[in-house]
Amino acid sequence: MDRPADNDVVDADLYDDGSFPDFGINQAPGATAVLAAVHGKGPVPTTGLATRRQLRAMGLSPGGHEPVARLLWSRGKRWAWLYRVDLAKPKREATPAQQVALDRALAARQTCPRCKRRYLVCLPLKTLGSCLECHDGTPADPNSYIAAPVTHRLAA
């Protein structure tokens, strides 16, 4: 084990307990600029701190960087990590293959196996096995599904 030499300078902060700085609502550096950008009333700031959701709303992600502070509310019972906006990176976009796979997975959960309609919401296939209209005759709103494609099985 290496020991520091007697002439090496060691940086020690006796008052640093290793905790994150805590900020209340709108007290973090650049909080008003970040909120304006989230609500679409200002440009994306290049400095300041933002939560993960605020970064996502601005089209950014933490980019692998660790949080630098905490945002506290509800008398310290609730909190969120704060990340530096200047180190944030643009959100990654899904590849076309990932989008196709996601659409197929959603189609499996949204398509009734009996009437072949694709609904705009996931169906209770595990409990009912079909849409409500096929299960008990409850009429479905025509705006809530996409009609099944017509396939002809004629030999002509």
Side-chain angles (χ1 to χ4, degrees):
M1 188 158 124
D2 294 334
R3 296 184 59 168
D6 291 336
N7 58 356
D8 284 345
V9 177
V10 177
D11 183 21
D13 185 1
L14 299 176
Y15 301 103
D16 184 14
D17 60 354
S19 65
F20 286 96
D22 293 331
F23 295 102
I25 300 293
N26 293 333
Q27 293 177 347
T32 55
V34 168
L35 286 175
V38 167
H39 296 300
K41 297 179 181 173
V44 176
T46 57
T47 60
L49 302 176
T51 64
R52 211 177 254 276
R53 286 186 181 205
Q54 289 171 333
L55 289 175
R56 178 74 44 170
M58 293 186 290
L60 302 171
S61 70
H65 294 285
E66 296 295 321
V68 295
R70 282 192 319 175
L71 176 68
L72 299 174
W73 68 95
S74 294
R75 296 182 184 154
K77 294 178 184 175
R78 300 202 45 148
W79 55 274
W81 293 121
L82 291 172
Y83 299 89
R84 288 177 48 185
V85 175
D86 58 339
L87 297 178
K89 296 181 180 175
K91 283 193 303 185
R92 295 186 320 182
E93 295 294 326
T95 64
Q98 288 173 329
Q99 291 175 351
V100 167
L102 180 61
D103 185 56
R104 285 184 182 160
L106 284 174
R109 296 178 64 192
Q110 295 172 341
T111 304
C112 176
R114 293 184 187 169
C115 64
K116 304 295 184 206
R117 291 182 187 155
R118 182 170 176 179
Y119 286 80
L120 302 178
V121 295
C122 293
L123 298 174
L125 297 178
K126 287 186 177 181
T127 56
L128 301 181
S130 64
C131 64
L132 288 175
E133 190 167 350
C134 293
H135 178 71
D136 61 4
T138 304
D141 181 17
N143 295 328
S144 67
Y145 62 86
I146 302 168
V150 178
T151 55
H152 296 288
R153 298 204 170 119
L154 300 176

